[in-house]
Amino acid sequence: MRALVWHGPRSMRLERVPDPVPGPGEVLLRVEAVGICGSELSGYLGENSLRRPPLVMGHEFVASVAALGPGAGAAVGARVVVNPLLPCGACPACRRGQRHLCAERRIVGAARPGAFADAVAVPASACHEVAGDLPAPVAALAEPLACAVRAVGHARPEPGSRVLILGAGAIGLLAVAVALRAQPSLLAVADVHAARLGTAGLWGASHLIDGAGPVAEDARRLAGGEGVDIAVDAVGVAATRRAAVRAVRPGGRVVFVGLHDAESPLPCNEIVRGEVEVRGSFCYSEADFEAALAMLARGTLRQGPWIEERPLEEGPQAFDDLLRGAVGASKVILRP
Ligand SMILES: [Zn+2]
Ligand SMILES: [Zn+2]
């Protein structure tokens, strides 16, 4: 089969490799569509400790079951999306039911070969069946949508909440879709990229904020001076994390889901005096993943220019284009 093999910083090639052989309890999947994740851009640059070359990345995908390994419970031909987070099931976090915080977790496309290929083997238990008429690029969004479901869930929006989302990349946009379900009175989105901001507007954001300007001040003004109730940072750099904290009202809530800078200075005295709740959000629980699938099944997300499809062989070019900022779309999907 063909696979995009990453060999080190900025070095990725389409190669012929042997078909994966599904182990006990595993299935062999034919990949239909696979998204490129922001975490894989840092992986491509060699700046992500979870990813070591040589590696086939790819963890946001829809596929069909082509063959079964010994004892695998699945139907050949079923169309599935995969929860790529494989917990050990035995560590203290797993025993507490926090499988996404498993210390021994293995992520498809990081700790084992992923879906930037014609085929991939995964545990049958990680597969969730999806309808045949769900467009492939939309189905491939189940995993990032599950991340957005968890992040917005931590922020607990209510009808009338005033919400700020920093970043209109895939996670930020998907957070817009999730937050809208709570019927906020204000849903402002900030980004430095005009095309992505425009997409946020099409998706129902009530206000668009130029990320190059004073984001926290703009958001506070929109919320009547006091500050927004909720800020979700889907970027993860020092400036957006600080803006998120500074944009919320006293007693407001901040959720960090973007992962970029390892450390960021924050106005901690403002957090203390304002009793600002700050928390991180990582991946998704099984319930978040199911909630994302239910949203997709209801047709909440549509295809549009915010998704760009390219053939698998253009994968290396797509990584370079994304890193140069030469892609207006918020998500690039590869089609083997
Ligand atoms: Zn991802
Ligand atoms: Zn575990």
Side-chain angles (χ1 to χ4, degrees), residues 43-99:
Y44 177 74
L45 293 173
E47 295 170 357
N48 187 309
S49 59
L50 297 180
R51 292 170 174 86
R52 300 220 170 77
L55 176 69
V56 179
M57 297 190 242
H59 61 264
E60 304 175 356
F61 60 105
V62 58
S64 57
V65 178
L68 307 182
V76 171
R79 190 176 192 230
V80 297
V81 295
V82 171
N83 180 337
L85 192 89
L86 309 179
C88 75
C91 73
C94 284
R95 289 202 304 270
R96 282 195 301 270
Q98 295 176 310
R99 290 154 44 100

Side-chain angles (χ1 to χ4, degrees), residues 122-159:
V122 303
S125 58
C127 296
H128 296 255
E129 204 160 337
V130 290
D133 59 357
L134 192 64
V138 174
L141 294 169
E143 194 267 356
L145 180 59
C147 291
V149 166
R150 184 164 193 85
V152 174
H154 280 323
R156 308 191 300 281
E158 299 168 345

Side-chain angles (χ1 to χ4, degrees), residues 33-36 136-137 140-141 307-311 331-335:
V34 52
I36 298 178
L141 294 169
I307 300 179
E308 187 180 319
E309 293 185 64
R310 299 193 188 190
K331 179 61 80 181
V332 173
I333 301 270
L334 300 178
R335 303 284 295 240

